[in-house]
Amino acid sequence: MTDLQPSGSRPAATPAAHDEECADYLERIVYFLDNELDDADCSVVRAHLDSCNPCLEKYDLQRTVKSVVARSCSEQAPSDLRERVRIRIREVQVQITEG
């Protein structure tokens, strides 16, 4: 017998089936990161992440991107930049009203 799986275990999923399953989890990961899943779904996603390294890597990447974006959105532009933007806005407003 050349099958290395223990008797009674599930056969390995085909790559296409695995990709389809992972695509579903990758969609759920977005909701998982935003705390928009109920406890049961969170448990299912965590279990998949614990057993699927490619999905875990994508989860880590999405979590990192979300963190960087959140941090970037909370930072304030330097005062000289804000002043230059205000001046330019006023210039454009004057051009519009005179044009």
Side-chain angles (χ1 to χ4, degrees), residues 8-21:
S9 68
R10 289 189 320 168
T14 64
H18 182 262
D19 291 347
E20 188 175 312
E21 177 185 5

Side-chain angles (χ1 to χ4, degrees), residues 77-90:
S79 59
D80 62 325
L81 174 60
R82 289 194 317 266
E83 186 59 29
R84 288 193 319 240
V85 169
R86 278 191 213 113
I87 290 169
R88 183 66 184 133
I89 290 171
R90 287 185 202 128

Side-chain angles (χ1 to χ4, degrees), residues 26-38 42 45 59 62-63 65-67 70:
L26 292 175
E27 186 176 320
R28 288 182 183 184
I29 285 172
V30 174
Y31 297 110
F32 180 73
L33 284 167
D34 291 336
N35 297 314
E36 295 178 1
L37 295 178
D38 61 31
C42 284
V45 170
Y59 164 78
Q62 287 185 12
R63 185 183 61 189
V65 168
K66 185 176 177 69
S67 173

Side-chain angles (χ1 to χ4, degrees), residues 2 4 16 36 40 46-48 60 68 70 78 94 96:
T2 60
L4 298 177
E36 295 178 1
R46 279 190 201 102
H48 181 79
D60 286 339
V68 168
V94 167
I96 290 172

Side-chain angles (χ1 to χ4, degrees), residues 4 50 77 91:
L4 298 177
D50 287 344
E91 291 171 351

